[in-house]
Amino acid sequence: MPKKKTVYLVANGDLRLSANQNCWEEQDKMEKELAAVVESLGGKIKRAHEYNPEEKHGFIQSQRQGMDIFAKIDRKAPLIVAEAVWQYSHHLLAGLISHQGPILTVANWSGTWPGLVGMLNLNGSLTKAGVEYSTLWSENFSEDKAFQKNLAGWLKTGVVKHPTAHVKKYTGRTTPARAKKIAEKIAKDLDTNKAIMGVFDEYCMGMYNAMIPDELLFQTGVYKEQLSQSALFAEMQTVTNKEAEEVFAFIEGRGFTFHFGKNGKKDLTKKQVLEQCKMYIAACRIGDRFGCDAIGIQYQQGLKDICPASDLVEGMLNSTDRPPVKNAKGEVIKAGETYPHFNEVDECCGLDALMTKRVHTALKQPTETTLHDLRWGDWDQSGTTDEYVWVFLISGSAPVEHHVGGWKGSHGYRQPDMYFPLGGSTLHGVAKPGEIVWSRIFIEEGKLKMDLGRAKVIELPEAETQRRLDETTPQWPIMHAVTYGVSRDQMMARHKANHINVAYAESAKQADNCLYAKAELAKQMGMEVSLCGTDAKGTKL
């Protein structure tokens, strides 16, 4: 009987103990199912690190731990990174960069914890680092024949290839003349006058893929202002209680519903929200002081231990109808405009948001934009549509203009305590039906690249929406998205990030115009641009 091939398995996790403990059960279940399939295909899983009975989980939870574990792994052995949860990619990067054997990233197709999001983040990080890897995903490892066939192929050859016929290199040949003219004007302005992204501390949650090296930014005309979260917290202390109450009154006056409770450790309280109001004012003032065109607050490290979450702040910044904030001269900062914010300091999304605002302003289209996690997807169980519907979900920072009912249709819930110990309100809502442009800037082969595509947001019955929220994180804003000409597996095969940028347009035609103008702008800013899928009519972009 031939000896079974040994495959090492590592499971990367969070920095936060509470998250690792809460999510371990799902990870353990996933690993056992995967191990059984590998065994049936003639392989044998060998876990490269043990379950920790004291900490009650079996995740790698720091960069040092990851380095120590990889130091003991045969560098030429086949290796699987199995993810059913969010993970901090830098815990593994050193080991994966040094590894010489075949690498396979695997995620369970589940919304329970952000395993798909974690895997996409790791994939984007490996792509940026120039590490060769294969990737697979499945709803049911033991019954998915296509998954098993691909896994068997990887066990034999060390490689899995996915078809990406939906991707086409952008040439500009079919771009409308007006869109080209607008792109040229914006690109010239960026070249002459430059723009600034204000970065409140980099490297959120180990997202190596989210940091753009400065030298790659220079060609775009956009530069970073390296700001500190400690400076943001210090600025919050200068904001008066009266100013915070005025922001709170603005939010409530617009019809927003806060869901308050009495126990701040588990419930949302007004005190938490008032601190968020101070952060909102402080962020606007610092951004204005440094002349920032867009800003990004990391929050997840450092600030999470000293103040409530930043998501309500971020959602308001991304809105045109937001509380007015005055600078030292008594002028309202960016009155009637968005102040683009890139969640979790994802600089790729920040650059995209800055470009989106300028393109949509020129085309007289809605300028509100946000990133979402590419969290999960499923067939509609209500029978409303036979199309595949993605769950785009983010931790609470979507603008109210994206929601059904705007301010009145939006809600503030306490952030889950396992991620956000000091609470803070989300900006929850259900995205309104309409035409959108989706996009992602990423780094590959030492170059800035951009993918763009078209999609529509659809309305689903309340029960189906709630099912999807309950399968993920119900406190967070959700978008029901149907991508044109891009299947689930095509999106997963190509997308090099955990995040995806979205912006609405007033019609399908206007959305097409926005897409082409942004693609042309990206090209003129020195990026390699690709169009994905089709337009609303099914015509390939």
Side-chain angles (χ1 to χ4, degrees):
M1 185 175 180
K3 186 178 179 182
K4 290 180 179 289
K5 176 183 282 190
T6 298
V7 180
Y8 285 91
L9 182 144
V10 294
N12 195 26
D14 211 293
L15 192 72
R16 297 160 288 200
L17 180 61
S18 58
N20 286 333
Q21 291 175 336
N22 274 284
C23 300
W24 173 248
E25 183 179 354
E26 193 74 13
Q27 175 73 24
D28 186 43
K29 176 185 172 185
M30 177 257 211
E31 286 187 28
K32 288 174 179 175
E33 292 174 354
L34 179 61
V37 174
V38 171
E39 187 87 17
S40 73
L41 296 172
K44 181 182 179 181
I45 290 288
K46 181 177 181 179
R47 213 167 190 277
H49 50 106
E50 299 298 322
Y51 173 85
N52 187 325
E54 292 182 4
E55 297 196 331
K56 299 179 181 178
H57 70 84
F59 292 112
I60 297 172
Q61 59 184 352
S62 74
Q63 182 171 226
R64 181 71 263 169
Q65 184 187 8
M67 290 174 172
D68 292 343
I69 288 167
F70 270 90
K72 299 174 183 177
I73 298 176
D74 177 358
R75 289 194 178 189
K76 294 184 179 180
L79 177 74
I80 290 177
V81 184
E83 295 300 336
V85 303
W86 171 252
Q87 56 83 53
Y88 282 44
S89 291
H90 76 296
H91 295 172
L92 297 182
L93 273 179
L96 293 174
I97 287 169
S98 299
H99 199 72
Q100 298 167 11
I103 297 168
L104 178 69
T105 64
V106 178
N108 58 336
W109 196 266
S110 168
T112 303
W113 302 120
L116 292 164
V117 185
M119 186 186 75
L120 285 171
N121 173 255
L122 181 59
N123 289 354
S125 296
L126 292 173
T127 297
K128 180 184 175 184
V131 176
E132 292 187 9
Y133 66 95
S134 298
T135 186
L136 285 174
W137 52 89
S138 178
E139 291 182 47
N140 191 319
F141 298 145
S142 62
E143 296 181 8
D144 187 338
K145 299 302 181 185
F147 170 82
Q148 292 174 20
K149 181 180 179 181
N150 280 323
L151 181 56
W154 180 80
L155 288 169
K156 184 177 180 180
T157 67
V159 177
V160 177
K161 295 289 186 183
H162 298 284
T164 54
H166 66 293
V167 181
K168 183 180 75 173
K169 186 176 180 180
Y170 172 76
T171 63
R173 284 195 291 267
T174 60
T175 300
R178 182 172 177 241
K180 281 193 173 185
K181 188 174 181 180
I182 284 170
E184 288 169 4
K185 185 176 180 180
I186 296 171
K188 184 177 180 180
D189 180 67
L190 285 170
D191 180 60
T192 303
N193 298 309
K194 318 299 184 192
I196 296 174
M197 291 197 301
V199 178
F200 285 100
D201 292 340
E202 292 186 302
Y203 217 14
C204 180
M205 295 188 291
M207 296 193 316
Y208 169 70
N209 70 313
M211 295 188 300
I212 302 177
D214 288 56
E215 56 272 19
L216 290 185
L217 261 185
F218 295 158
Q219 67 180 355
T220 69
V222 180
Y223 291 73
K224 298 180 199 176
E225 188 73 51
Q226 292 287 2
L227 304 168
S228 169
Q229 292 197 110
S230 60
L232 177 62
F233 185 73
E235 185 79 18
M236 288 168 63
Q237 312 316 305
T238 71
V239 179
T240 67
N241 292 335
K242 180 176 181 293
E243 289 173 318
E245 287 282 3
E246 287 172 351
V247 170
F248 182 82
F250 178 99
I251 299 169
E252 278 208 320
R254 288 294 196 272
F256 186 79
T257 302
F258 286 109
H259 297 264
F260 289 130
K262 295 181 179 180
N263 179 4
K265 290 185 178 181
K266 295 290 183 182
D267 300 328
L268 180 66
T269 65
K270 184 178 178 181
K271 181 182 177 182
Q272 294 169 14
V273 175
L274 288 174
E275 278 200 75
Q276 291 180 297
C277 293
K278 289 186 176 183
M279 186 190 290
Y280 168 73
I281 294 170
C284 287
R285 286 176 176 166
I286 292 177
D288 178 72
R289 195 176 304 145
F290 285 91
C292 299
D293 297 84
I295 53 179
I297 303 168
Q298 188 204 106
Y299 183 76
Q300 304 285 4
Q301 272 89 61
L303 280 189
K304 72 175 174 58
D305 299 314
I306 58 175
C307 65
S310 56
D311 294 274
L312 176 64
V313 176
E314 297 164 6
M316 290 194 294
L317 288 167
N318 283 328
S319 175
T320 49
D321 183 23
R322 57 186 180 83
V325 178
K326 292 182 179 179
N327 59 20
K329 297 178 182 178
E331 303 164 334
V332 175
I333 298 168
K334 296 191 183 297
E337 297 180 37
T338 64
Y339 203 150
H341 181 279
F342 40 110
N343 184 282
E344 297 163 359
V345 197
D346 186 334
E347 294 165 1
C348 296
C349 288
L351 180 58
D352 192 325
L354 190 153
M355 295 165 62
T356 299
K357 181 177 179 180
R358 297 193 178 204
V359 166
H360 282 234
T361 298
L363 288 169
K364 295 182 172 56
Q365 293 302 297
T367 57
E368 299 86 10
T369 184
T370 187
L371 64 86
H372 275 286
D373 281 340
L374 198 63
R375 177 67 181 261
W376 179 54
D378 196 9
W379 299 101
D380 167 36
Q381 293 189 13
S382 71
T384 302
T385 178
D386 59 1
E387 297 174 299
Y388 192 80
V389 185
W390 284 96
V391 173
F392 291 173
L393 196 83
I394 192 54
S395 54
S397 55
V400 295
E401 287 84 355
H402 283 194
H403 296 164
V404 175
W407 277 110
K408 292 181 180 179
S410 302
H411 297 258
Y413 297 100
R414 191 200 190 281
Q415 285 284 15
D417 60 323
M418 81 166 178
Y419 293 129
F420 303 90
L422 298 182
S425 175
T426 62
L427 209 167
H428 169 84
V430 179
K432 64 186 180 183
E435 298 288 333
I436 61 170
V437 178
W438 66 262
S439 51
R440 176 65 195 183
I441 293 171
F442 61 100
I443 300 164
E444 187 176 29
E445 300 169 336
K447 303 174 186 175
L448 274 181
K449 298 186 179 183
M450 187 179 206
D451 283 355
L452 300 99
R454 287 272 289 103
K456 63 181 176 181
V457 181
I458 67 169
E459 184 178 3
L460 291 175
E462 185 176 345
E464 174 67 4
T465 297
Q466 193 60 51
R467 179 184 77 86
R468 289 164 177 261
L469 286 168
D470 291 341
E471 288 284 333
T472 52
T473 309
Q475 299 91 338
W476 294 354
I478 188 171
M479 176 177 278
H480 305 311
V482 176
T483 49
Y484 294 137
V486 183
S487 70
R488 183 197 82 168
D489 290 344
Q490 286 175 326
M491 178 66 84
M492 291 296 295
R494 172 68 180 185
H495 208 65
K496 304 298 184 185
N498 44 314
H499 291 151
I500 188 167
N501 276 58
V502 294
Y504 280 88
E506 292 173 354
S507 67
K509 182 178 180 180
Q510 292 285 19
D512 292 344
N513 290 339
C514 291
L515 176 142
Y516 282 113
K518 190 154 70 166
E520 181 64 28
L521 175 59
K523 181 184 176 186
Q524 295 200 24
M525 291 169 70
M527 298 183 215
E528 185 177 301
V529 184
S530 295
L531 303 182
C532 302
T534 71
D535 62 16
K537 296 178 180 178
T539 303
K540 197 167 180 65
L541 294 170

PDB file of all heavy atoms in Angstrom, residues 50-58 61:
ATOM      1  N   GLU A  50      -0.326  23.014  17.614  1.00  0.00           N
ATOM      2  CA  GLU A  50      -1.319  22.343  18.437  1.00  0.00           C
ATOM      3  C   GLU A  50      -2.409  23.287  18.940  1.00  0.00           C
ATOM      4  O   GLU A  50      -2.244  24.509  18.982  1.00  0.00           O
ATOM      5  CB  GLU A  50      -0.630  21.690  19.648  1.00  0.00           C
ATOM      6  CG  GLU A  50       0.402  20.630  19.291  1.00  0.00           C
ATOM      7  CD  GLU A  50      -0.189  19.458  18.545  1.00  0.00           C
ATOM      8  OE1 GLU A  50      -1.322  19.055  18.892  1.00  0.00           O
ATOM      9  OE2 GLU A  50       0.455  18.947  17.605  1.00  0.00           O
ATOM     10  N   TYR A  51      -3.508  22.685  19.322  1.00  0.00           N
ATOM     11  CA  TYR A  51      -4.561  23.392  20.053  1.00  0.00           C
ATOM     12  C   TYR A  51      -4.013  23.803  21.419  1.00  0.00           C
ATOM     13  O   TYR A  51      -3.310  23.035  22.074  1.00  0.00           O
ATOM     14  CB  TYR A  51      -5.768  22.473  20.222  1.00  0.00           C
ATOM     15  CG  TYR A  51      -6.876  23.020  21.103  1.00  0.00           C
ATOM     16  CD1 TYR A  51      -7.843  23.860  20.569  1.00  0.00           C
ATOM     17  CD2 TYR A  51      -6.949  22.671  22.451  1.00  0.00           C
ATOM     18  CE1 TYR A  51      -8.866  24.357  21.369  1.00  0.00           C
ATOM     19  CE2 TYR A  51      -7.973  23.155  23.260  1.00  0.00           C
ATOM     20  CZ  TYR A  51      -8.927  24.006  22.711  1.00  0.00           C
ATOM     21  OH  TYR A  51      -9.931  24.502  23.500  1.00  0.00           O
ATOM     22  N   ASN A  52      -4.304  25.035  21.829  1.00  0.00           N
ATOM     23  CA  ASN A  52      -3.833  25.544  23.121  1.00  0.00           C
ATOM     24  C   ASN A  52      -4.967  25.432  24.138  1.00  0.00           C
ATOM     25  O   ASN A  52      -5.926  26.209  24.095  1.00  0.00           O
ATOM     26  CB  ASN A  52      -3.383  26.998  22.985  1.00  0.00           C
ATOM     27  CG  ASN A  52      -2.732  27.537  24.242  1.00  0.00           C
ATOM     28  OD1 ASN A  52      -3.120  27.190  25.354  1.00  0.00           O
ATOM     29  ND2 ASN A  52      -1.744  28.397  24.070  1.00  0.00           N
ATOM     30  N   PRO A  53      -4.899  24.452  25.068  1.00  0.00           N
ATOM     31  CA  PRO A  53      -6.003  24.253  26.009  1.00  0.00           C
ATOM     32  C   PRO A  53      -6.203  25.414  26.981  1.00  0.00           C
ATOM     33  O   PRO A  53      -7.310  25.620  27.473  1.00  0.00           O
ATOM     34  CB  PRO A  53      -5.597  22.971  26.753  1.00  0.00           C
ATOM     35  CG  PRO A  53      -4.119  22.870  26.582  1.00  0.00           C
ATOM     36  CD  PRO A  53      -3.818  23.480  25.256  1.00  0.00           C
ATOM     37  N   GLU A  54      -5.135  26.158  27.258  1.00  0.00           N
ATOM     38  CA  GLU A  54      -5.262  27.299  28.174  1.00  0.00           C
ATOM     39  C   GLU A  54      -5.995  28.456  27.510  1.00  0.00           C
ATOM     40  O   GLU A  54      -6.845  29.112  28.118  1.00  0.00           O
ATOM     41  CB  GLU A  54      -3.883  27.743  28.660  1.00  0.00           C
ATOM     42  CG  GLU A  54      -3.197  26.725  29.565  1.00  0.00           C
ATOM     43  CD  GLU A  54      -1.853  27.236  30.065  1.00  0.00           C
ATOM     44  OE1 GLU A  54      -1.503  28.407  29.770  1.00  0.00           O
ATOM     45  OE2 GLU A  54      -1.158  26.458  30.749  1.00  0.00           O
ATOM     46  N   GLU A  55      -5.666  28.711  26.246  1.00  0.00           N
ATOM     47  CA  GLU A  55      -6.296  29.821  25.527  1.00  0.00           C
ATOM     48  C   GLU A  55      -7.550  29.386  24.790  1.00  0.00           C
ATOM     49  O   GLU A  55      -8.290  30.210  24.248  1.00  0.00           O
ATOM     50  CB  GLU A  55      -5.288  30.461  24.566  1.00  0.00           C
ATOM     51  CG  GLU A  55      -4.104  31.081  25.305  1.00  0.00           C
ATOM     52  CD  GLU A  55      -3.317  32.030  24.447  1.00  0.00           C
ATOM     53  OE1 GLU A  55      -3.295  31.845  23.204  1.00  0.00           O
ATOM     54  OE2 GLU A  55      -2.727  32.973  25.004  1.00  0.00           O
ATOM     55  N   LYS A  56      -7.774  28.080  24.709  1.00  0.00           N
ATOM     56  CA  LYS A  56      -9.000  27.513  24.152  1.00  0.00           C
ATOM     57  C   LYS A  56      -9.192  27.809  22.669  1.00  0.00           C
ATOM     58  O   LYS A  56     -10.281  28.116  22.204  1.00  0.00           O
ATOM     59  CB  LYS A  56     -10.225  27.991  24.950  1.00  0.00           C
ATOM     60  CG  LYS A  56     -10.174  27.572  26.419  1.00  0.00           C
ATOM     61  CD  LYS A  56     -11.380  28.086  27.184  1.00  0.00           C
ATOM     62  CE  LYS A  56     -11.283  27.680  28.656  1.00  0.00           C
ATOM     63  NZ  LYS A  56     -12.408  28.204  29.454  1.00  0.00           N
ATOM     64  N   HIS A  57      -8.120  27.715  21.919  1.00  0.00           N
ATOM     65  CA  HIS A  57      -8.190  27.806  20.452  1.00  0.00           C
ATOM     66  C   HIS A  57      -6.893  27.258  19.868  1.00  0.00           C
ATOM     67  O   HIS A  57      -5.905  27.058  20.587  1.00  0.00           O
ATOM     68  CB  HIS A  57      -8.433  29.244  19.976  1.00  0.00           C
ATOM     69  CG  HIS A  57      -7.268  30.165  20.180  1.00  0.00           C
ATOM     70  ND1 HIS A  57      -6.223  30.242  19.290  1.00  0.00           N
ATOM     71  CD2 HIS A  57      -6.979  31.042  21.173  1.00  0.00           C
ATOM     72  CE1 HIS A  57      -5.349  31.136  19.709  1.00  0.00           C
ATOM     73  NE2 HIS A  57      -5.776  31.631  20.857  1.00  0.00           N
ATOM     74  N   GLY A  58      -6.901  27.010  18.566  1.00  0.00           N
ATOM     75  CA  GLY A  58      -5.729  26.460  17.900  1.00  0.00           C
ATOM     76  C   GLY A  58      -5.215  27.335  16.777  1.00  0.00           C
ATOM     77  O   GLY A  58      -4.679  26.830  15.783  1.00  0.00           O
ATOM     78  N   GLN A  61      -1.578  33.330  16.473  1.00  0.00           N
ATOM     79  CA  GLN A  61      -2.122  34.617  16.890  1.00  0.00           C
ATOM     80  C   GLN A  61      -1.086  35.736  16.983  1.00  0.00           C
ATOM     81  O   GLN A  61      -1.375  36.806  17.517  1.00  0.00           O
ATOM     82  CB  GLN A  61      -2.838  34.472  18.232  1.00  0.00           C
ATOM     83  CG  GLN A  61      -1.979  33.971  19.369  1.00  0.00           C
ATOM     84  CD  GLN A  61      -2.775  33.752  20.642  1.00  0.00           C
ATOM     85  OE1 GLN A  61      -3.955  34.103  20.741  1.00  0.00           O
ATOM     86  NE2 GLN A  61      -2.147  33.166  21.638  1.00  0.00           N
TER      87      GLN A  61
END
